[in-house]
Amino acid sequence: MNKVILHKSDLDDYLTKEDKKNIEDIERMYMSSLSLSDRIEAQDGDAISQLVDIHRAIGHRLSEISSENGRIHVYSFDTPAEMHDEASRLIAKLRNPSTSHEEFIYYMQRAYELMFGHVFSARRLGKKRSIIQKTPVTIPAQNYAVHRIPDIDDLIHGSVMCVMLRGALLPSMIISKAIEDSSSDGYITPFELFRIKRNESKNEDDMDYVLDLDRSFFSLDELDGKDWIFADPMNATGGSMITIARYLKKQGVKPRSIVFINVLSALKGALRITRALEEAEVYTLWMDPMLNEKAYILPGLGDAGDRLNGKDGEGERNMIQLIADYGASIVNLYRNQVKEIESTVLG
């Protein structure tokens, strides 16, 4: 088997002493909130007030750490206060165990639309281009509308979607579709597909990240000198993304830039990526404080891959099967992205 393995100890070498202290402080703050769990279940008003105060303090400290880093961009910290409500509502819906599979996809699409604007459009509000749009109205004459949108062509041309299968498949399609819609020429990003998994039998302090080259589909030439975009719902440890980027760079492939777009990121994962990869910028809708012993984000939202794709049956579905299971509405909406993915897989 042709595999690349990165061990957790390799990741921690990237963290500074200050990073480790900040992570420990945040974990200590969050663990104090867990002691309130039984009282919150019993609807104890004082415990609920304490929980709110603890989470407010954690959010304030996470905001300070992100700002000091400079390459970690959190939507709920960076945007005006009046825009925070939408992000908070979306994350609450995604966290809710009662949110159905179809609703989870819907809210994930909304979240990535917000993130696309945060990553690209917000950087170009002063540079716009006009869209002249023909409308269906023809009386008294053919009608046209003019819309001004940010001109981001130079930010998105040459971008490549680097897909960390499997939970990252649909988020990558969403970002690619937004790029297509925002470009002046309908640019379709290439898709480079990487089969990478954590060893779920191990704990966070002994984790391995395994890149299966035999089950990956990518071109080194397609990646060289390009803007690498990774879109994954969750950034827990940062290990999968770092494993892929390190492997590619060892093959002599150099990115022009690296952008990692998440809906939910743990502090540790965001810090590791920015320390390990000097070209990388991390953009996330919401930041959570810590990981549990199995490397799941706390408070988190569960297994985002399963909630997006549904659980496999007896055999693991391949990429084409996953896309088919999204259904006709998703496949038709992202038809150009599906075509590009099929081209990558089937040659």
Side-chain angles (χ1 to χ4, degrees):
M1 299 294 286
N2 191 13
K3 294 182 177 180
V4 176
I5 300 175
L6 181 72
H7 188 66
K8 182 260 185 185
S9 59
D10 298 320
L11 295 176
D12 280 348
D13 288 343
Y14 293 117
L15 295 175
T16 67
K17 289 183 179 180
E18 185 68 20
D19 290 337
K20 293 175 181 178
K21 180 181 182 301
N22 286 333
I23 290 169
E24 290 174 359
D25 290 345
I26 291 293
E27 288 179 351
R28 193 177 303 112
M29 295 171 71
Y30 185 73
M31 291 302 292
S32 70
S33 75
L34 294 182
S35 66
L36 302 170
S37 295
D38 290 343
R39 293 169 59 194
I40 291 169
E41 285 288 327
Q43 296 295 304
D44 182 322
D46 289 340
I48 292 172
S49 295
Q50 290 178 51
L51 182 70
V52 171
D53 290 341
I54 291 171
H55 277 252
R56 183 180 292 115
I58 289 172
H60 179 70
R61 186 66 190 116
L62 288 173
S63 177
E64 290 179 339
I65 295 169
S66 300
S67 178
E68 291 165 1
N69 178 278
R71 288 190 286 130
I72 299 174
H73 312 278
V74 184
Y75 183 94
S76 51
F77 299 157
D78 293 350
T79 56
E82 56 269 22
M83 299 173 69
H84 296 178
D85 290 350
E86 178 71 0
S88 195
R89 282 194 298 268
L90 283 174
I91 293 294
K93 287 291 187 180
L94 290 167
R95 290 195 201 276
N96 191 338
S98 299
T99 297
S100 69
H101 170 63
E102 292 76 12
E103 288 178 309
F104 195 86
I105 290 176
Y106 167 70
Y107 291 124
M108 191 62 68
Q109 289 173 306
R110 286 180 57 187
Y112 267 102
E113 286 291 335
L114 285 183
M115 288 308 300
F116 179 81
H118 187 45
V119 177
F120 296 106
S121 298
R123 293 155 60 187
R124 285 299 167 84
L125 293 179
K127 182 181 178 183
K128 295 191 176 186
R129 63 182 179 85
S130 296
I131 297 177
I132 311 300
Q133 182 58 59
K134 186 177 181 178
T135 82
V137 181
T138 59
I139 298 175
Q142 176 62 61
N143 279 249
Y144 295 88
V146 178
H147 295 276
R148 298 280 289 166
I149 67 169
D151 184 354
I152 62 173
D153 275 0
D154 60 324
L155 297 179
I156 56 180
H157 282 101
S159 59
V160 176
M161 297 307 305
C162 299
V163 186
M164 301 187 295
L165 299 170
R166 301 160 28 110
L169 185 60
L170 183 56
S172 299
M173 292 163 62
I174 296 169
I175 291 294
S176 178
K177 173 68 172 174
I179 287 174
E180 177 188 2
D181 292 344
S182 299
S183 65
S184 62
D185 57 357
Y187 177 68
I188 310 294
T189 61
F191 280 76
E192 308 300 317
L193 309 172
F194 300 90
R195 178 60 172 169
I196 188 161
K197 294 180 71 173
R198 303 190 318 195
N199 186 339
E200 297 293 351
S201 68
K202 296 191 174 185
N203 287 337
E204 197 271 333
D205 61 1
D206 193 35
M207 186 67 70
D208 286 326
Y209 303 85
V210 184
L211 172 60
D212 188 341
L213 297 175
D214 290 333
R215 301 177 66 188
S216 299
F217 303 86
F218 60 91
S219 164
L220 295 178
D221 289 340
E222 192 73 65
L223 287 158
D224 196 25
K226 302 295 179 61
D227 298 304
W228 300 354
I229 301 176
F230 293 80
D232 196 304
M234 313 277 279
N235 173 21
T237 67
S240 294
M241 191 266 204
I242 293 171
T243 301
I244 293 170
R246 275 187 23 153
Y247 167 76
L248 293 174
K249 293 172 75 172
K250 285 182 178 178
Q251 307 312 303
V253 179
K254 295 183 179 180
R256 187 169 66 175
S257 68
I258 303 175
V259 171
F260 194 18
I261 309 173
N262 317 117
V263 171
L264 190 65
S265 179
L267 172 63
K268 183 181 286 187
L271 287 172
R272 277 174 171 163
I273 287 171
T274 56
R275 300 308 186 202
L277 304 167
E278 62 183 5
E279 311 92 341
E281 304 270 341
V282 176
Y283 289 83
T284 187
L285 187 64
W286 200 269
M287 180 169 281
D288 271 1
M290 65 174 288
L291 306 174
N292 66 13
E293 63 180 16
K294 300 300 290 184
Y296 273 74
I297 298 174
L298 298 180
L301 51 81
D303 191 317
D306 283 351
R307 298 187 73 182
L308 271 177
N309 300 327
K311 293 184 178 181
D312 290 324
E314 293 183 3
E316 189 176 83
R317 293 164 292 173
N318 62 37
M319 286 158 277
I320 304 303
Q321 290 171 324
L322 278 176
I323 291 172
D325 284 349
Y326 287 143
S329 60
I330 294 292
V331 172
N332 288 334
L333 178 61
Y334 301 107
R335 58 189 179 276
N336 289 331
Q337 284 67 42
V338 170
K339 182 179 179 181
E340 191 68 31
I341 292 167
E342 289 178 338
S343 175
T344 300
V345 174
L346 301 177

